[in-house]
Amino acid sequence: MIKREIVVANKSGLCARPAALFVQMTNKFTSDIFVEKGTQKINAKSIMGIMALGIGKDEKITLIIDGPDEEEAIKELVQLVEKTLVDL
């Protein structure tokens, strides 16, 4: 299991389009993937769950990934959240 805290750099946080791209990427992996924000923990493969967290710009979230492709998943998701989504 991998647990990593990251900061959401996107100017609008994980709102509709960035959240959809995030969920689309999580669904590429067979590992279980969760996002924690404060005391809330949701399945990262659920668009409704991600939207319900209301993740804004510069907020810290924790990715929790457990499964056979967890190393690849953490690498790609961190890249997506910290760099790729910044310009959306």
Side-chain angles (χ1 to χ4, degrees):
M1 175 168 52
I2 299 174
K3 204 171 183 180
R4 171 110 28 106
E5 186 175 87
I6 58 175
V7 175
V8 177
N10 181 285
K11 62 186 172 203
S12 58
L14 285 183
C15 63
R17 184 165 181 235
L21 293 171
F22 180 82
V23 170
Q24 184 178 18
M25 181 174 282
T26 63
N27 281 294
K28 288 183 7 181
F29 302 104
T30 58
S31 294
D32 294 324
I33 304 174
F34 295 92
V35 174
E36 277 184 346
K37 177 186 165 196
T39 60
Q40 297 177 303
K41 179 178 176 181
I42 57 94
N43 182 338
K45 295 181 180 185
S46 163
I47 186 71
M48 296 305 290
I50 294 292
M51 296 296 292
L53 286 180
I55 302 166
K57 178 176 174 37
D58 296 330
E59 286 194 290
K60 290 181 185 178
I61 59 172
T62 302
L63 294 177
I64 303 162
I65 305 174
D66 188 26
D69 53 2
E70 63 189 24
E71 293 288 338
E72 182 183 352
I74 195 72
K75 180 182 169 189
E76 288 190 33
L77 290 169
V78 168
Q79 170 75 23
L80 179 73
V81 173
E82 292 185 339
K83 296 182 175 50
T84 306
L85 295 179
V86 172
D87 299 325
L88 292 181

